[in-house]
Amino acid sequence: MRHNLLMADFIQHLRYALRNAFKAPGHSSLVVLALAIGIGVNTAIFSLANAAFFRPLPYPHADRLAFLWQSNIRTGETEGRVSYPNFADWKAQNQSFEDMAVFVTGKSVFAGAGDPERISGALVSANFFSVMGLTPLSGRVFSSDEQRPGHANVILISYRLWQTRFGSDPHVIGRTVNFGQDHNTIVGVLPSGFNFPSDADTWIPRIVSEFTQKKARQYPNLQVVGRLKPGVSWKQAQTEMDTIGQRLAQEYPAIDGGVGVRIVPFREQFSENVRQGLLLLWAAISAVLLIACLNAANLIVARSTGRHKEIALRLALGASRGHILRQLLYESLVLASAGAGVGLLFASWIVHLAGRLNPAIARLSGNIFDRRVLGYTLALTVLTTLVCGVLPSFSFSRMNLNHSLKSGGASGAPSGTQTLRSVLIVAEVSLAFVLLIGSGLLVRSLWNIFAVSPGFDATHVLTFHIYWPNGPANSTANQQRNAVFTDFLDRLRALPGVVSVGATSNVLFPPEMYKVPFVTDNQSTQSSGERPFLPHGEATPEYFQAMGIPLLRGRFFEQKDLTAAMQAASIADTATGPVAIINETMARRYWPESDPTGHKFRFDDPNFKSPWFTIVGVVGDVRQEGLEKSAGLMVYLPSSGEWSDDTVIRTTNDPLTLVAAIREQIRALDRNLAVDNVRTVRDLLSQQELQRQFNAMLLGGLAAIALLLSALGIYASVSYWVRQRTREIGIRMALGAQRAHVFELVVWRGMSLILIGLGFGLAGALAVTRFMSSLLYNVRPSDPLTFVLITLLLAVVALMACYSPARRAIKIDPLEALRYE
């Protein structure tokens, strides 16, 4: 019986709430829109955070999987990849991990069951799939023998490749395909959804030679994954790996001196590119939701004050204040539920847009409507219902029934209504100011970054990478490939609009820079642990002109340098030895008071006898590791193109117009050649700051929404104040008040609230922006220019919001106003 009464009461209140919502469609639409924006952006960001931090990874017991990286003990920063001997020692000496495996990612030409295609692949240790906890869909994984030299070449393929290239052929096991320079036999197909690492479609055993095992300690080119033993904590594992790292540093000071180990769990590794941005955006969208709730509550208060006589009459007839509160909550529930429904659609659109703008976000998004996200949206709906329902009830908590029943129109509104609305406006403005300051600082950082000179001229420069077809790996094949590539560069130079063409083995902003210890001819004797490492790359003679890298001293490479470079293995310290070009940083550090041209250096590699390289030129610094990092040491060695597969072309106009002609020239040389990463250098520069751009754009969008909602709230508040005082304004004007005075009175009413909000917002912004230091570049969290500009922007928007109500006020007819109820 009691249950039936409660249900009947619920239905009655709900019907009344729906009827009230449809009575004022304009007001209801504004409230629903405000809540939809707040709930929508919250749901969208939470769905991405859910994918980054909470959604289970598609690997068995993924909570025990981790990457292991080399780190710099002095700075604590991750250095990167690991050499095979170090990996072998880590694996043999630790007691915290069940097992460890290595892999190397790359792309190559895949030929088999169709036209050649450039695809991603990985070289992996034989135990890689057991570490990942993976069983193939069909066939088998690799045996330990298959990573030894001389064993038959085998390959595993992805489910996607099996479907698209082999038509889901159940007899694919045993077929032979070409991948890179080898013929490989397919031994297994992996399950659907597995494409680790780096969206790989093929997996090949990484050959472990005697040289790799014993002499490759100073060649860190591997990535390491491990599976933690049950019951072992990450802290325990890190402590043990720190001990192992210290032991290796003492045993091999020349290579491992100062090198430590850093363990990064899979969840943290996969989300690190978006973690900080998502946390920042999550804080921002919480502020937007609060602003939306405050705005909706403001609008509901405005509507409720128009019903004060109705509510007073219901209270006088015996309705309890609890009953009135329930009715307001039901009305808020109807509006909040509608806002949540529209907000989910809005969230879907936001996630789709974010995925298009940021590939890292695209990999996270997936299906946003899982149970956790829907539960979060439901919680937001309940929260907004409470905020929007309880806040308006405060204005009726001390209602004077006699005054309300005797008074008419707005004049009989509860005394606390205007105070509550003023508080809501101040809170909205304060939160909007903080968001605007945060987005302003990020925009200033982007401006500063793109104002940095990268060290080259990116105007009208195109770059792309060439993947060569399979073939024997020997000196004759390399010479043939070199001749083909030289011919290809000549063909490109003949294209209309081409100014210069070059190639390099080290395209801009590589994920890893290959570094080798070196000594100079004037270098004092140093302990092996202090010996510096030198990153280097090969470049053709025209590379510097094509990239617009300035020559500061000496000369660029010439054709005669290429011959000397190819004979370098047989040259010791002779006057006809190979040459090199260094950057300005290296010249300034090792020859600060003299011209470095003519001086020499050699690589200090115990495994190979390095010749002495004569420096023939000094070029400007290139920010090879990103615009935010100062240029480090860099040396360029001459190349005719044998290993320099990253081509750059400078043109007189838009280089993208030559893409079709370039592909045609490639097909004319060899139809098995594949081309990838075709993009302008300007796009390459922009790509480096994609995460910053995304954060600035999204936070800026949230700040704009907050500003719009605040302007709407200001407009509604001032409009309500004018409507409430229509009679008063009419009397003032009838007694001779000037229109300018009335206009000023109305504008000051709105601006006084803005000034109070700006005061609170300034204090909040100074406190919050301190936590943004790591996201900023060459700009202080308390940057005066940003604070001044944002203050002026908010003031201008507030004036615009106050202008329309003020104009209406000065147009009030005194005779009509005196009759106003």
Side-chain angles (χ1 to χ4, degrees):
M1 184 69 178
R2 180 179 174 82
H3 175 75
N4 292 336
L5 288 175
L6 289 174
M7 181 58 66
D9 183 69
F10 170 77
I11 294 174
Q12 180 183 2
H13 278 296
L14 191 60
R15 285 177 177 173
Y16 187 74
L18 288 169
R19 189 162 58 247
N20 272 332
F22 284 110
K23 273 184 181 180
H27 168 272
S28 299
S29 298
L30 285 176
V31 174
V32 169
L33 177 61
L35 294 180
I37 292 173
I39 294 174
V41 294
N42 267 267
T43 300
I45 300 302
F46 178 78
S47 72
L48 300 176
N50 174 48
F53 308 135
F54 309 123
R55 186 179 295 170
L57 294 172
Y59 315 113
H61 304 291
D63 58 318
R64 293 194 282 120
L65 288 172
F67 283 83
L68 291 91
W69 303 99
Q70 287 191 171
S71 65
N72 188 312
I73 294 177
R74 300 180 184 88
T75 65
E77 295 180 355
T78 299
E79 289 282 299
R81 304 190 180 194
V82 184
S83 68
Y84 190 88
N86 273 1
F87 155 72
D89 287 335
W90 291 359
K91 181 179 177 181
Q93 296 179 27
N94 91 89
Q95 299 297 319
S96 299
F97 289 87
E98 289 182 351
D99 201 358
M100 293 182 185
V102 296
F103 66 88
V104 180
T105 60
K107 295 181 180 181
S108 192
V109 177
F110 181 87
D115 294 332
E117 177 186 4
R118 188 273 312 160
I119 61 173
S120 299
L123 298 174
V124 301
S125 55
N127 65 334
F128 174 79
F129 299 102
S130 64
V131 170
M132 296 301 297
L134 194 71
T135 302
L137 180 68
S138 62
R140 62 175 178 83
V141 295
F142 304 134
S143 66
S144 57
D145 291 340
E146 287 170 334
Q147 64 182 16
R148 295 174 182 169
H151 198 280
N153 298 321
V154 293
I155 189 171
L156 281 161
I157 62 173
S158 68
Y159 185 86
R160 185 200 72 84
L161 201 65
W162 177 55
Q163 282 192 316
T164 58
R165 295 300 298 259
F166 298 95
S168 303
D169 182 3
H171 306 294
V172 72
I173 305 301
R175 291 185 59 174
T176 300
V177 295
N178 296 334
F179 187 68
Q181 296 184 340
D182 297 311
H183 302 280
N184 302 84
T185 301
I186 298 174
V187 296
V189 178
L190 295 185
S192 174
F194 184 84
N195 56 0
F196 178 81
S198 301
D199 297 327
D201 277 314
T202 61
W203 294 263
I204 294 175
R206 187 187 186 281
I207 302 302
V208 182
S209 63
E210 182 179 357
F211 175 86
T212 300
Q213 290 177 308
K214 299 180 179 179
K215 298 183 179 182
R217 192 172 296 274
Q218 64 188 72
Y219 308 125
N221 60 354
L222 303 173
Q223 297 184 62
V224 180
V225 291
R227 180 176 289 276
L228 202 66
K229 290 181 178 178
V232 179
S233 69
W234 292 118
K235 184 176 181 180
Q236 291 173 320
Q238 184 64 66
T239 300
E240 182 184 39
M241 295 308 299
D242 287 341
T243 302
I244 294 173
Q246 293 168 6
R247 189 183 304 145
L248 294 178
Q250 294 175 355
E251 190 173 353
Y252 306 101
I255 300 170
D256 288 333
V259 174
V261 186
R262 183 179 174 224
I263 300 174
V264 184
F266 261 39
R267 172 71 67 188
E268 183 179 336
Q269 180 72 37
F270 291 146
S271 63
E272 68 175 357
N273 291 333
V274 295
R275 175 182 295 269
Q276 192 174 37
L278 281 178
L279 291 177
L280 171 68
L281 294 173
W282 204 347
I285 54 114
S286 299
V288 170
L289 177 63
L290 183 54
I291 292 174
C293 289
L294 294 175
N295 205 297
N298 206 344
L299 292 169
I300 292 174
V301 168
R303 174 97 196 286
S304 299
T305 52
R307 299 165 55 198
H308 71 280
K309 196 166 186 175
E310 170 206 333
I311 293 174
L313 183 61
R314 294 174 67 185
L315 288 170
L317 293 175
S320 67
R321 295 185 184 271
H323 181 86
I324 299 299
L325 173 60
R326 286 201 305 275
Q327 183 57 54
L328 291 174
L329 285 174
Y330 277 113
E331 293 178 13
S332 298
L333 176 62
V334 168
L335 297 173
S337 299
V342 178
L344 282 173
L345 298 177
F346 187 42
S348 179
W349 177 80
I350 291 175
V351 170
H352 176 71
L353 178 63
R356 293 184 61 183
L357 296 174
N358 191 335
I361 294 291
R363 287 191 290 269
L364 287 178
S365 57
N367 177 21
I368 71 167
F369 297 106
D370 65 8
R371 287 180 296 178
R372 190 180 286 109
V373 173
L374 293 178
Y376 180 78
T377 306
L378 178 62
L380 291 181
T381 305
V382 173
L383 174 64
T384 53
T385 298
L386 292 174
V387 172
C388 296
V390 173
L391 282 179
S393 70
F394 291 157
S395 61
F396 299 102
S397 61
R398 297 181 180 179
M399 177 180 284
N400 187 320
L401 296 183
N402 289 329
H403 177 71
S404 297
L405 291 172
K406 291 178 182 179
S407 303
S411 61
S415 59
T417 298
Q418 191 59 43
T419 301
L420 175 61
R421 289 171 61 79
S422 298
V423 170
L424 294 177
I425 291 299
V426 168
E428 285 186 54
V429 171
S430 301
L431 290 171
F433 184 78
V434 173
L435 284 177
L436 286 166
I437 289 293
S439 62
L441 290 173
L442 291 181
V443 171
R444 284 289 311 278
S445 295
L446 272 178
W447 181 275
N448 291 338
I449 288 171
F450 286 119
V452 170
S453 172
F456 52 85
D457 181 8
T459 307
H460 296 159
V461 181
L462 186 76
T463 179
F464 56 89
H465 186 89
I466 294 181
Y467 292 90
W468 295 86
N470 62 293
N474 53 52
S475 59
T476 301
N478 289 337
Q479 290 176 2
Q480 292 174 348
R481 182 176 119 173
N482 178 62
V484 170
F485 193 75
T486 301
D487 181 34
F488 173 62
L489 295 183
D490 290 337
R491 288 170 177 255
L492 294 182
R493 292 186 187 98
L495 293 177
V498 172
V499 176
S500 55
V501 178
T504 179
S505 61
N506 230 350
V507 73
L508 291 171
F509 315 124
E512 285 290 330
M513 292 285 288
Y514 187 63
K515 303 177 181 180
V516 180
F518 75 104
V519 293
T520 64
D521 56 7
N522 68 338
Q523 193 172 341
S524 59
T525 304
Q526 293 177 307
S527 65
S528 55
E530 298 175 344
R531 200 162 291 162
F533 282 72
L534 179 64
H536 67 278
E538 296 185 355
T540 59
E542 280 189 63
Y543 170 73
F544 303 99
Q545 294 95 320
M547 282 297 299
I549 301 174
L551 179 68
L552 305 180
R553 297 189 187 94
R555 63 175 177 84
F556 289 129
F557 292 136
E558 298 174 354
Q559 192 62 36
K560 64 181 181 180
D561 300 324
L562 306 181
T563 304
M566 289 185 284
Q567 297 173 348
S570 62
I571 297 176
D573 185 11
T574 68
T576 59
V579 300
I581 293 175
I582 63 174
N583 69 344
E584 186 179 9
T585 293
M586 185 172 176
R588 188 169 54 247
R589 185 175 302 178
Y590 291 97
W591 296 276
E593 298 179 357
S594 62
D595 185 350
T597 57
H599 283 275
K600 298 181 180 182
F601 72 90
R602 66 176 175 83
F603 295 111
D604 190 21
D605 190 332
N607 298 313
F608 301 98
K609 185 176 181 180
S610 169
W612 284 93
F613 291 85
T614 301
I615 299 169
V616 297
V618 179
V619 295
D621 288 334
V622 173
R623 298 199 173 215
Q624 193 80 12
E625 297 184 58
L627 294 177
E628 300 172 48
K629 296 183 179 180
S630 300
L633 304 179
M634 186 65 190
V635 63
Y636 303 90
L637 306 179
S639 170
S640 58
E642 182 177 325
W643 301 110
S644 303
D645 299 332
D646 288 297
T647 306
V648 290
I649 303 175
R650 177 173 294 280
T651 64
T652 56
N653 46 31
D654 183 5
L656 291 176
T657 59
L658 293 178
V659 172
I662 292 170
R663 293 188 183 278
E664 184 178 342
Q665 293 298 329
I666 291 174
R667 285 193 296 269
L669 283 175
D670 190 331
R671 299 191 66 86
N672 290 325
L673 285 173
V675 179
D676 189 31
N677 296 331
V678 181
R679 64 183 70 182
T680 65
V681 173
R682 282 202 181 279
D683 288 341
L684 201 59
L685 283 173
S686 181
Q687 188 74 19
Q688 288 300 301
E689 300 304 325
L690 181 62
Q691 189 62 48
R692 278 189 181 275
Q693 293 178 65
F694 179 77
N695 290 344
M697 183 168 55
L698 202 48
L699 187 59
L702 294 174
I705 291 173
L707 184 62
L708 177 63
L709 290 174
S710 299
L712 178 62
I714 295 166
Y715 171 81
S717 179
V718 177
S719 295
Y720 167 77
W721 186 83
V722 170
R723 188 168 61 252
Q724 189 182 40
R725 284 166 171 74
T726 298
R727 184 181 178 88
E728 174 192 334
I729 293 171
I731 293 173
R732 285 174 178 268
M733 296 181 71
L735 293 175
Q738 299 295 317
R739 293 181 182 273
H741 177 73
V742 173
F743 186 89
E744 180 183 340
L745 178 68
V746 175
V747 170
W748 174 246
R749 169 63 195 174
M751 293 306 296
S752 62
L753 299 178
I754 302 306
L755 292 176
I756 298 172
L758 286 175
F760 284 107
L762 177 63
L766 290 173
V768 170
T769 53
R770 291 183 301 168
F771 300 100
M772 294 180 60
S773 298
S774 61
L775 296 173
L776 305 179
Y777 180 79
N778 280 354
V779 59
R780 292 182 300 166
S782 58
D783 178 54
L785 180 60
T786 302
F787 275 73
V788 170
L789 292 176
I790 294 302
T791 301
L792 291 175
L793 172 63
L794 197 50
V796 169
V797 171
L799 279 172
M800 294 172 62
C802 295
Y803 178 79
S804 182
R807 288 282 296 174
R808 285 203 306 271
I810 64 177
K811 292 181 179 180
I812 290 176
D813 185 345
L815 293 178
E816 291 293 328
L818 292 175
R819 292 196 294 267
Y820 179 76
E821 276 289 328

